[in-house]
Amino acid sequence: MALRERWGNESFGGTLATLTTNLFHGQGERSHRLRVVAGTWPSDMDGSVVVVGPNKRAPGGHWFGAHGLVERIHLKPSHDGAITVEHKLVNSPVNRLRKRLPWLFRSVAFVEASPFGISNLANTNVVSVQDRLILGYDAGRPVEIDAETLEFISPVGANDEWLQGVPGLLEPLIAVAAHPAVDIDETLLHFVNYSQVSIPGEVAETHLASWDLHGQIQRRRIDGMSPFDSIHDIKVSDHYLVISDLPFVIEPETFRGEQRRERSQDHTKLWIVAKADLASTPEGGTVTATEVRVPMPSGHLWLDAEEVDGCLRVVLQQIPLADLTITVTSEARNHTDGAVFDADFEGWIAQAVQPSVITCLVIDPVTGVVKESESLSDPEHLWGGILATTDVTHSTSRAHLSQLWYANVGFDPELVPEEWWRLYSTATDGLVAPSELPTEPIPGALARFDLDLMQIAESWEYPAGSFPSPPTFVPRSGATEADDGYIVCVVHQDGPKELHVFEAGNIAAGPVARASSATFNPNLMLHSCWSPPRIGPRPSNYSVPVKRDVVGALKGVPGNMKRIVAMGKRMAELRREDASR
């Protein structure tokens, strides 16, 4: 049943047969008081949904290329029934410097640089752990913000506790996968820290970095990895850590305006590290990873905490033929008719070009052998999978992931960039061949994937042009069973946007509540989490002094410069070898 049918003649969603253009017209820091416009807001939700994303105030550049903005949706209505939504900038030291000295900062694609270094945009991921909120960004250290006020508190780890890549006076480039592994039993966060400044085709120096939420970062180098584009995610089971790469091709020539020459990879690499190896290796030592390669690239992964017969169960959000660095620009043209894109799409990426895919794997962690592999997709109805959510609040669902809720943008034949077509038109590794892409739009949807039955259990289709993102699982207050709760999501559409609340186990019935206001228009953001209500003050006084950070940045300059010079020499050698062939 479509929303248009459920809500009769009410005004809802986009009326165009294409994706809404209302993506990047954000409003920055401001609060909203939403009113329930349909249904009944559940009384058994508490805490808040916290979302982070780039503070996009207008189309242009790259979707990911703006400093972080945090959105908090209060799940308990106020005394007059209003739903409060607040937005707060991630006001880090480098962001404050940028406001005072804007002429020192320059942006290229999704990167901002200044004499202070490569800006940590802190705009990609958020996790809630022990009443604390940690933000992640793939080209910067994690940072902590206050779970109540959303104010910036501190980076996680001083500069000299991490492997650095490019020098800077305050923010040297420190590449850390945006998604950490949250080890609840051992009260640890595990990060992947690697060098983004490396020679193409050679293995980047990569470290596992562990943090106990209070002390210093403990790093150990990882051996056994082959070359990769980037790393975005790591998850933990009872006895292992699993790392996943991300297809993110960066060709230096593109910063000079040249066209891309290489398409993204057609596979996923996973690396498995035993926690016992980690525990027995002193800080600064080396642990060995078992590498696994599976078809189709992936965006994110989940991992059952409980191993069965010694094997790992890994769940992948796969993104065949997606290209996160192909961006709609003012000169970009649509493949189908060569028309220039609507300017409101500038910043959109080539993401919604294939059906949504979730794959379950059973892997022997010692040998790396994939014992089972099964994928779920629905090419007729579910396209452009963007973000997913699971119940991370209940021990049963952490031990064994049974249900996954997936937000889908849909497919718009008018949003296939010519640049993407040039690189992928002959690709044979997608679910649908580029030459057979649909000629009519496929609507956005929210779907529940049953990973025990390995079937798409149900979905809710949105009117053409509208879609939900991000979805967030919220546990029902007092719930004793796993997956008992609600899915809360922001709906992007023409006109004012909306909050939708679904019963997690009955998505097909549609939202039980919708809330909006005439001025509610947040831009498209990224990841989210549920944050329980905090009782009492912040449970830690952890903070990295700015002076310590500056000293750590300066200490890293000689090593960073040495690495850059060595890379330059090696790349010059490679160019000479290419020229002599």
Side-chain angles (χ1 to χ4, degrees), residues 328-329 331-341 416-419:
V328 173
T329 66
E331 300 176 354
R333 294 180 178 273
N334 175 31
H335 157 67
T336 56
D337 58 10
V340 175
F341 287 110
V416 178
E418 179 59 36
E419 183 181 5

Side-chain angles (χ1 to χ4, degrees), residues 313 315 358 360 374 376 400-406 447-458 483:
R313 180 170 176 263
V315 178
I358 297 293
C360 287
E374 187 173 359
L376 277 175
H400 176 82
L401 182 60
S402 172
Q403 306 297 316
L404 179 145
W405 295 266
Y406 204 178
R448 177 168 63 87
F449 284 57
D450 188 318
L451 303 181
D452 286 336
L453 299 177
M454 284 305 291
Q455 65 182 26
I456 299 172
E458 54 181 345
D483 304 316

Side-chain angles (χ1 to χ4, degrees), residues 221-237:
R221 189 162 181 168
I222 307 175
D223 191 20
M225 303 177 74
S226 62
F228 55 85
D229 289 343
S230 68
I231 293 176
H232 185 59
D233 207 347
I234 175 174
K235 292 294 186 289
V236 63
S237 72

Side-chain angles (χ1 to χ4, degrees), residues 44 60 76 167 212 281 286 299 318 344 355 376 391 411 420 480 489 498 513 577 581:
D44 52 356
K76 282 286 188 186
D212 65 2
T281 302
T286 299
Q318 301 212 269
D344 282 334
L376 277 175
D391 179 6
F411 175 77
W420 179 88
T480 58
C489 51
E498 300 191 1
E577 291 173 6
R581 290 194 181 102

Side-chain angles (χ1 to χ4, degrees), residues 58-70:
H62 190 287
W63 174 17
F64 305 160
H67 281 264
L69 180 71
V70 179

Side-chain angles (χ1 to χ4, degrees), residues 154-184:
S154 172
V156 172
N159 281 318
D160 56 5
E161 294 176 42
W162 298 94
L163 173 69
Q164 302 176 20
V166 174
L169 297 177
L170 181 60
E171 285 283 4
L173 174 60
I174 296 174
V176 181
H179 295 265
V182 182
D183 192 329
I184 291 177

Side-chain angles (χ1 to χ4, degrees), residues 241-312:
L241 290 154
V242 178
I243 301 165
S244 175
D245 70 347
L246 179 74
F248 205 84
V249 175
I250 300 177
E251 297 179 65
E253 294 80 8
T254 60
F255 291 111
R256 300 195 298 266
E258 296 182 24
Q259 288 187 329
R260 276 264 303 279
R261 291 179 293 180
E262 296 182 25
R263 53 154 289 179
S264 290
Q265 66 192 38
D266 60 0
H267 58 274
T268 295
K269 289 179 182 176
L270 302 172
W271 295 277
I272 302 170
V273 176
K275 289 170 68 175
D277 193 8
L278 193 67
S280 64
T281 302
E283 181 186 7
T286 299
V287 295
T288 301
T290 299
E291 184 169 296
V292 181
R293 178 166 164 161
V294 297
M296 293 192 292
S298 298
H300 302 95
L301 83 152
W302 297 265
L303 178 64
D304 283 0
E306 189 175 273
E307 297 123 21
V308 178
D309 296 329
C311 288
L312 300 173

